[in-house]
């Protein structure tokens, strides 16, 4: 049970000063009062900075709630609906999130040290910058989608690392090799990018996708040509560079679309 001394002196002022739009105000008061509110209806609640340490929020309806920077250490959120909920910067050390719905949930910069999560729970959540995530929780799709998000923000080095991690999870998935090749090409790592595209082509060919295999082989050859042109100082405006740019632009469009097809993210990329 929560310590009333933490909230009672300010509860009345808090409810007056902050526009709260919880699904059920009685449930909101109950969870702030004693922390025992299983099955609470708290959709759309504004609980920024709330102190809910050790709170019993099992099966709570918290979709679209704002729990940014809230204190949720030791809280039981098992089975809770956290769809599109903001937990950005929240402390969830030792919290139980097993079987909770994390569709579009914002966990960026949250502390998940010791938190209990179901396998692949983060596939549809945003967790960039979160710390304390246990090894193995991040699935191939979650890592790949995080790489796509990083690449769309121009953070190519981080994207490369995320795609590399995704490849370790599922080395037979060609899309992650394509995406890493794009991120490496953007960093002028032409030899490595060419190798990624070439290997992705082999994987697509095994799957019977000969069209994609051919385009990837062309991309690999084009990057090799660019490398040669740069070495011989012939690059910059040649036909080879134009072909390369067209090919890379096509592949750049493929990776985000493929990630969405694998695991649609609620907030979009």
């Amino acid at each position: 049970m929560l310590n009333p001394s933490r909230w009672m002196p300010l509860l009345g002022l808090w409810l007056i000063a902050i526009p709260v739009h919880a699904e059920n105000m009685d449930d909101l008061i109950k969870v702030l009062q004693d922390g025992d509110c299983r099955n609470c209806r708290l959709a759309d609640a504004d609980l920024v900075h709330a102190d809910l340490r050790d709170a019993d929020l099992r099966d709570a309806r918290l979709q679209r709630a704002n729990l940014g920077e809230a204190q949720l250490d030791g809280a039981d959120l098992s089975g809770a609906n956290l769809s599109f909920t903001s937990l950005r910067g929240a402390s969830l050390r030792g919290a139980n999130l097993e079987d909770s719905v994390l569709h579009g949930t914002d966990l960026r910069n949250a502390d998940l040290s010791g938190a209990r999560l179901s396998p692949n729970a983060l596939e549809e959540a945003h967790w960039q910058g979160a710390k304390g995530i246990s090894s193995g929780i991040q699935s191939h799709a979650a890592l790949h989608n995080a790489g796509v998000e990083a690449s769309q923000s121009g953070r190519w080095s981080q994207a490369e690392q995320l795609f590399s991690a995704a490849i370790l999870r599922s080395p037979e998935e060609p899309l992650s090799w394509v995406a890493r090749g794009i991120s490496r090409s953007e960093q002028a790592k032409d030899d490595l990018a060419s190798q990624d595209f070439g290997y992705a082509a082999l994987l697509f060919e095994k799957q019977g996708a000969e069209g994609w295999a051919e385009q990837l082989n062309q991309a690999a050859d084009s990057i090799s040509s660019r490398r040669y042109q740069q070495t011989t100082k012939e690059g910059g405006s040649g036909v080879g560079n134009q072909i390369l740019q067209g090919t890379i632009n096509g592949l750049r469009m493929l990776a985000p679309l493929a990630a969405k097809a694998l695991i649609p993210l609620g907030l979009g990329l």
Side-chain angles (χ1 to χ4, degrees):
M1 180 173 291
L2 299 179
N3 184 351
S5 64
R6 295 205 305 239
W7 55 266
M8 281 295 292
L10 298 176
L11 177 58
L13 291 175
W14 183 80
L15 290 173
I16 294 172
I18 298 177
V20 179
H21 304 289
E23 182 180 9
N24 187 292
M25 288 299 296
D26 290 337
D27 283 354
L28 178 63
I29 293 172
K30 180 175 175 59
V31 75
L32 290 170
Q33 181 174 339
D34 56 30
D36 182 8
C37 197
R38 188 172 183 178
N39 295 307
C40 272
R41 293 167 293 168
L42 296 169
D44 303 301
D46 190 339
L47 290 162
V48 176
H49 299 293
D51 190 342
L52 297 171
R53 286 173 286 180
D54 301 315
D56 183 355
L57 294 167
R58 287 174 289 174
D59 303 310
R61 292 170 54 176
L62 281 158
Q63 57 268 38
R64 300 178 305 279
N66 190 348
L67 285 156
E69 299 188 24
Q71 295 292 322
L72 287 155
D73 296 342
D76 191 345
L77 289 152
S78 56
N81 188 342
L82 296 165
S83 299
F84 305 105
T85 299
S86 175
L87 286 159
R88 188 166 188 171
S91 182
L92 291 149
R93 296 172 63 87
N96 185 0
L97 291 159
E98 291 180 333
D99 299 320
S100 59
V101 180
L102 299 176
H103 180 71
T105 306
D106 190 352
L107 287 162
R108 288 175 291 182
N109 302 316
D111 188 349
L112 292 164
S113 301
R116 293 155 58 187
L117 291 156
S118 298
N120 302 330
L122 300 177
E123 284 189 353
E124 300 182 352
H126 299 273
W127 46 266
Q128 291 69 33
K131 63 180 180 179
I133 299 175
S134 300
S135 176
I137 289 295
Q138 297 153 304
S139 67
H140 164 261
L143 290 163
H144 182 93
N145 286 341
V148 172
E149 186 170 342
S151 68
Q152 290 192 323
S153 300
R155 292 176 280 120
W156 296 109
S157 179
Q158 183 183 3
E160 180 186 356
Q161 294 174 14
L162 288 164
F163 291 133
S164 293
I167 288 169
L168 289 175
R169 289 280 189 275
S170 184
E172 298 303 309
E173 172 52 63
L175 292 172
S176 294
W177 291 90
V178 173
R180 190 175 71 173
I182 293 170
S183 65
R184 285 176 164 177
S185 175
E186 290 289 342
Q187 299 175 80
K189 298 179 179 179
D190 292 341
D191 290 340
L192 293 174
S194 180
Q195 292 174 17
D196 281 348
F197 290 144
Y199 190 72
L202 289 174
L203 293 175
F204 273 120
E205 190 172 0
K206 288 181 181 179
Q207 297 177 4
E210 295 181 359
W212 279 117
E214 182 179 354
Q215 290 193 44
L216 285 162
N217 280 323
Q218 290 177 359
D221 292 341
S222 297
I223 289 178
S224 296
S225 298
R226 178 174 71 172
R227 185 69 173 175
Y228 174 77
Q229 289 171 352
Q230 289 173 341
T231 302
T232 58
K233 299 181 180 181
E234 294 176 0
S237 61
V239 175
N241 277 344
Q242 294 174 16
I243 294 173
L244 172 64
Q245 189 61 44
T247 304
I248 294 301
N249 283 338
L251 293 171
R252 199 177 290 155
M253 293 175 64
L254 166 68
L257 292 174
K260 288 183 179 181
L262 286 170
I263 299 293
L265 291 181
L267 300 182
L269 288 178

